[in-house]
Amino acid sequence: MRIDIITCLPKLLESFFAHSILKRAADKGLVEVYVHDLREFSTHKQRQTDDYAFGGGAGMVMMIEPIDNCISKLKAERDYNNIIYMTPDGENFSQRVANKLSLSGNIIILCGHYKGVDERVREQFITMEISIGDYVLSGGELAAAVVSDAIIRLIPGVLSDETSALTDSFQDDLLAPPVYTRPAEYKGWKVPDILLSGHEAEINKWRMEQSLKRTKIRRPGLID
Ligand code: 6GU
């Protein structure tokens, strides 16, 4: 899988992808992430990428030309499954969307800034718009990092224990059950006996009950 991220703040994203699971996924050749500096695609004197809004009002708008230059160059090199625009008025991101996107070959993620992009960018180039929640961030970069992380960890081979993504919260519309590790007793606080019993079927049954109970209490909306 290949992810091309277009941003005015490349440094912010480069440090994110240079660490942890995402770095290991790239080192193993399971994903390639390229961060493109939008300024390099500007033909203006000061490598300008935004301008005042037609009709007036506060806030700058990202110009179509540098975005067109960058996206068109990438599209000439390979096909993309989706060209995603990160925006608070996009579709809500969820595990379901992450699962679907993790099956992509190549995607482009465009990070918005200021008052957003010229509407013609959305009409002409964008195939999908994603929001990560009902709050406003200063830019789409952190949101792009969130979406990339959720997608990349689903690619087979990225997690060391391949089954562990399957038991995540949300993977089957249930929250994950509680987990414990050694010691079995700490300051008198005990691990549930069932987990020490060695009865795999009973343990799985307990975990499912705990998942259901936790989901009903914390996120009842997930059950229907
Ligand atoms: Cl994708 N971008 C921005 N700027 N704010 C957000 C968001 C995205 N998702 C939630 N808030």
Side-chain angles (χ1 to χ4, degrees), residues 1-13:
M1 178 172 194
R2 174 176 170 130
I3 304 177
D4 289 278
I5 305 181
I6 305 171
T7 171
C8 302
L9 293 172
K11 289 213 174 79
L12 193 61
L13 285 167

Side-chain angles (χ1 to χ4, degrees), residues 174-186:
L174 290 177
L175 301 182
V179 293
Y180 299 86
T181 187
R182 284 180 285 185
E185 182 172 344
Y186 180 74

Side-chain angles (χ1 to χ4, degrees), residues 85-90 92 110-114 129-144 147:
Y85 174 48
M86 301 307 305
T87 175
D89 60 2
N92 266 328
L110 172 64
C111 302
H113 243 262
Y114 320 106
E129 302 189 325
I130 295 180
S131 161
I132 63 162
D134 291 341
Y135 41 81
V136 179
L137 303 169
S138 339
E141 283 76 16
L142 290 176
V147 167

Side-chain angles (χ1 to χ4, degrees), residues 85-100:
Y85 174 48
M86 301 307 305
T87 175
D89 60 2
E91 168 187 356
N92 266 328
F93 192 57
S94 63
Q95 193 63 43
R96 206 177 302 273
V97 177
N99 288 344
K100 191 188 128 214

